[in-house]
Amino acid sequence: MNDLMSQAVDLMIAGMGFVFAFLVVLVFATLLMSKLISRFAPPEPATPARTPRAKPKAPASVDPDTAEAIKKAIAQFRSRHKK
Amino acid sequence: MNDLMSQAVDLMIAGMGFVFAFLVVLVFATLLMSKLISRFAPPEPATPARTPRAKPKAPASVDPDTAEAIKKAIAQFRSRHKK
Amino acid sequence: MNDLMSQAVDLMIAGMGFVFAFLVVLVFATLLMSKLISRFAPPEPATPARTPRAKPKAPASVDPDTAEAIKKAIAQFRSRHKK
Amino acid sequence: MTLWTGSGLFNIEIGQVVMIAIGFLLLFLAIRKGFEPLLLVPIGFGGILANIPEAGLALSAAENAIHMAKPEVLAALASALDVSYQSGQVVTAEVMDAFKYAYKEASSAELAMANGLAQDFGYGNGMLYNFYTVVIGSTVGPLLIFMGVGAMTDFGPLLANPKTLLLGAAAQFGIFGTVLGAALLDWLGILDFTILEAAAIGIIGGADGPTSIYVSSVLAPHLIGAIAVSAYAYMALVPMIQPPIMKALTSPEERKIKMSQLRPVSKQEKIIFPLVVLIAVVLFLPDAAPLLGMFCFGNLMRECGVVERLSDTAQNALINIVTIFLGLSVGSKLMADKFLDPQTLGILGLGIVAFGVGTASGVLMAKLMNKLSKEQINPLIGSAGVSAVPMAARVSNKVGLEANPQNFLLMHAMGPNVAGVIGSAVAAGVMIKLLS
Amino acid sequence: MTLWTGSGLFNIEIGQVVMIAIGFLLLFLAIRKGFEPLLLVPIGFGGILANIPEAGLALSAAENAIHMAKPEVLAALASALDVSYQSGQVVTAEVMDAFKYAYKEASSAELAMANGLAQDFGYGNGMLYNFYTVVIGSTVGPLLIFMGVGAMTDFGPLLANPKTLLLGAAAQFGIFGTVLGAALLDWLGILDFTILEAAAIGIIGGADGPTSIYVSSVLAPHLIGAIAVSAYAYMALVPMIQPPIMKALTSPEERKIKMSQLRPVSKQEKIIFPLVVLIAVVLFLPDAAPLLGMFCFGNLMRECGVVERLSDTAQNALINIVTIFLGLSVGSKLMADKFLDPQTLGILGLGIVAFGVGTASGVLMAKLMNKLSKEQINPLIGSAGVSAVPMAARVSNKVGLEANPQNFLLMHAMGPNVAGVIGSAVAAGVMIKLLS
Amino acid sequence: MTLWTGSGLFNIEIGQVVMIAIGFLLLFLAIRKGFEPLLLVPIGFGGILANIPEAGLALSAAENAIHMAKPEVLAALASALDVSYQSGQVVTAEVMDAFKYAYKEASSAELAMANGLAQDFGYGNGMLYNFYTVVIGSTVGPLLIFMGVGAMTDFGPLLANPKTLLLGAAAQFGIFGTVLGAALLDWLGILDFTILEAAAIGIIGGADGPTSIYVSSVLAPHLIGAIAVSAYAYMALVPMIQPPIMKALTSPEERKIKMSQLRPVSKQEKIIFPLVVLIAVVLFLPDAAPLLGMFCFGNLMRECGVVERLSDTAQNALINIVTIFLGLSVGSKLMADKFLDPQTLGILGLGIVAFGVGTASGVLMAKLMNKLSKEQINPLIGSAGVSAVPMAARVSNKVGLEANPQNFLLMHAMGPNVAGVIGSAVAAGVMIKLLS
Ligand code: NA
Ligand code: NA
Ligand code: NA
């Protein structure tokens, strides 16, 4: 077995060992986190204040007036449709 | 009073003096500008030609055909609604 | 005729010659391409698989439910309109 | 073994632990308390990244090489940085300090050489170091944010009532008063500051993020982390800091003053106003040209009506991209050796003074103007002169409504609010002119 | 005192006043007259910023240091730039000129050293100087614009009638005719030009903004301001420049020629066409590879149908960001010492000649093609070969409608219109190959 | 004449013809076959551009100068690069090789000097060379992509069933197994690899594009073209590579295992999870900090709910811009002298082994977990641990549906799928730590 081969084997042992160690730790940390949250945190957190400058990117492409009219039209259509 | 203190006082005097001077100038410049515009400029300027490559970013998400149909539907709905 | 003048004449001859040569080649290459495509390629190619991460940028601003209701409303409107 | 000796747990220092905790605190304030999250989320996260032991994300290639302290690398760096160190010499704490000091004092030619050598040895600039160099070191980041803010600013209320510019001027007393405060702390022997540091701290009183970052990157880059955190945190706290001061300085009658509705402002006035500001900059204060120039450029793109696609990009994609990098870059300066210093406490303490003084000056200026003019203004809009757009204007409105439920001050307060942005940029220009 | 002696009013020079006025004129043309506002708003604003006295926004760190002329700084720069100046020597106008000349002629190693020294003394690169270096100095800006233009271009009309490529070829006579015109002015002793300058001026006749900026940044960077302004201004004036020429060269009968409807073009043809152009570039003109390569890449992204998100970004966020910086960078070259020169008048005069010659050549080529082929084309679409997309095609349509209200030439004119873009890029490649 | 002797047709080499054909092949696969088009369209196009003869788009200024081989330029470069060449000496093939070798081995100071000299002689960096330096050389490109991917990732399914992280760990055996495979090829004398090259090739098994590009840019930049092409091509082939392996390793009964519905995951868990990952990185693996740090930052922006505009930009404009440049930059490494090498065949062969081994390890790990725990999981979701988001999860779902039409595995497979992303980033950190 040449030098590269032994380096590769060393790398595999260290690497897979570390990857498993890291992700096993993460499994337990995640379980712990979920447990702590479900115990201490309120189930539905208060919505934090939105930053004022973050105006919504995608403006409603239909103006509110029209939108309401459409809604009414649909409601009317549906009520008729049911009959 | 040490050196830093006197530098800070100098900075304050020069700074606040300049800030006020600059903004006072700006007050008068703005008043003058508004006066000149209201006197010389037409109240409603001709809309300048739009640049051709500046195509609208947010394309209408409803195609014109549909849009027109919707408009008619709404108009029809409204005319009925008033009755 | 000075040196710059003769350089400019040379540049024009080489330049216009090359521009025409290049675009004439392009005319024939384009004609050949169109001929080959119309002969060998299927008239309507199978739509290639879309890349999964390329989620549509402009989300439908009207939700599908509403959209369908609108479509029906329009269809209904049209059917009435024809009468 | 390398994995263990190179791990964070093996190498972490107490300072880094504290700084990472501060990073999480900033994230908590931003996410749960809504403290200026657009900046504090990236700043907090960048602060955590900068303090990951051994990762060296906020260090240059040469700093990383010095930290690793391999004798042959140090020997090479010694010649570039003019440190007396021979190959094979034991690497003591003094030797390390000598290298760090030499790096800090190096000329740009020496830095280039040292970083080149470190790269030849396989070290690289940390990710955050690169971000900082490109975004803040070049000053381009804060300027682009300012351009975007300009493209988001409506000068209409200011144009309808230009007198309110004076309120924006008065509130800048917060800046210079704080410089005086820093000098006082220095005089009393409580803390040490240079005039450059004092000026950079003062700019917190401008209540304007990009201006604060720009000025401190020019005058005192080592304080940029503390100054930016202080500025954004207090901007978020404006609804708590301002009302008591406003109420203490005004009588209930003054708070009830109703202001006449603002006149409509024509499109032309809005187009020409940024050019008027630009001309004033050209004539009187070239050192404010980068900040106010970009601000006016953004506003002109907004108002001129023929480059919507550029204006839209300046207000969205571009400002967002720059904000991400700017926040991470500021966070990269939240390193223990620079942040865990009594100066930082001083900066946090002086910062709240700055906001208070600015608020008070604005209110008092409004009262003074009422003395001198027949047309009465509600002194509550004076506090909006500190900037903190649009939070301060909303505070004016809210306190006004408490005094008189029919009295809507929001639009009136927007005038001094944006005037405060111009005012701090002018103050920034003056300080850079006189001190750098 | 520093505030006054450092103010713009104290230091402003007449040249700067004139250039600032020109900046405002460009803004006026862009905003009120609709002259290519996407570029002329940033260019005009950048021109004003570049001429703010003492701000040095368009100067490098070393240029700013030389301008400030502190003896100890000059002494340090003297060694880097190989100027004979001793510390303490009086700073005369000749000394200043010696430094400026040495800076202009310096090698890249000397420049790096001089700028490093200037930074050690606290001077920095101006904001616009940085923009120019990154966006135009590296040539990346015009190339990205070209990529975006490619992503916006529909080659359908061209593919339906490939013969119209020849009209795009003929119109390039405007480029080379203008080179000849510049040589003529030089021969007559009216103005001095080098062949590089003449070629860079000629490219105005390409009627294509990014191509003009790219070519002049390679061949004659000092003329880039005048050339870009001239190119964009005349592109905006196409509806005034072209119709008289078109009418003079055609009979009413020719103008009434109706063209048969274009055949539908398949998706595959549109996908493969940019690759065909790319192969032609590979085989025949590597020097056009940056321009045409990016153009074809943009067009392939548009047509291939599987990378819409990239195509969308290339057409929107990316091109807008680059446009902002490109415009400001071009504006940074609107400095008095370079722009207020008889050459600029020559450039403005030759520019309109370029457009006129290109228009005439396109129309005459169309008439020649009608002589040689049975299938008649309306010679009015020849003028669209100058590029100026899509303005020139609209002009063809409008003049056609005047002759025959049923004759819609728009789609027919789009073919030569985009062919003109390819044609000018090829001409640019030839000039760069032969001259640089 | 210059036009002809400088044309592509006159200068093209057989290697360039082959590479251009490979570029077209990549475009064909991307556009017609839908192989990861977002990356392979720019990579393929960049590969074509990089191989345009005489254009030098992927070369630095000094490399372009060496290629042109003007004696006076070579004489100047000889002193900078320490090559023995006198002005006037005949330029033989050996001389050229000496220059190319010296350039490759030059220190960063020598490179800076050589490139500066070349620029003084009028040569410039190629466009693609600049893109590569800025986007990949600085490592910023892959990191920003990773940030965007983080902002697009929903950790919900993983949080509902954290055990699936182990499947993502097991699948990383594909990485290290491939390193072993490369070492085996070297041992058998079939191909030569260094350990750095072997590790860089192994990362293909991570089935994650930005991780592959990041690792190979750090460990073996000369292989980046082949590695990236291999990684993206096999990611596209996942629906063909995985199913046979999955079916061979599982019984029909195992494939029919129904998994219980995932529990709902609260907003807080989603916000805090990226911070938990970050803490683990801080404590255990600083070398994974750039990759996982940016990934967690992107995910925090997504989940925290207060910076939507930043999250949106990270997922759209920013990632698209970076993707365009990253693809072209990777393509710039598709040059004949580096790609047309037996190593490339080895990389392509090892790449498919890597995917196969990773798939098998994931499935076997799932079976092992079923042995050790009562709660049964369907082993088909193990294959999703290789990453290749979201393709591998869809494959799990599809194969599951074939066995039992009522068994929807998609959401269950998303857990190991995103775990695989974390797993490969950890593996990348380990390899960088141990080898660089
Ligand atoms: Na302010
Ligand atoms: Na053209
Ligand atoms: Na993976």
Side-chain angles (χ1 to χ4, degrees), chain F residues 229-255:
Chain F
V229 165
S230 185
Y232 283 106
Y234 291 133
M235 278 163 68
L237 288 174
V238 150
M240 267 123 94
I241 297 171
Q242 289 196 320
I245 299 170
M246 293 158 74
K247 288 177 190 166
L249 294 176
T250 52
S251 67
E253 286 68 42
E254 286 173 323
R255 294 204 285 278

Side-chain angles (χ1 to χ4, degrees), chain B residues 61-76:
Chain B
S61 55
V62 177
D63 73 82
D65 197 20
T66 314
E68 202 172 14
I70 291 178
K71 269 187 214 153
K72 283 186 190 163
I74 292 165
Q76 194 190 21

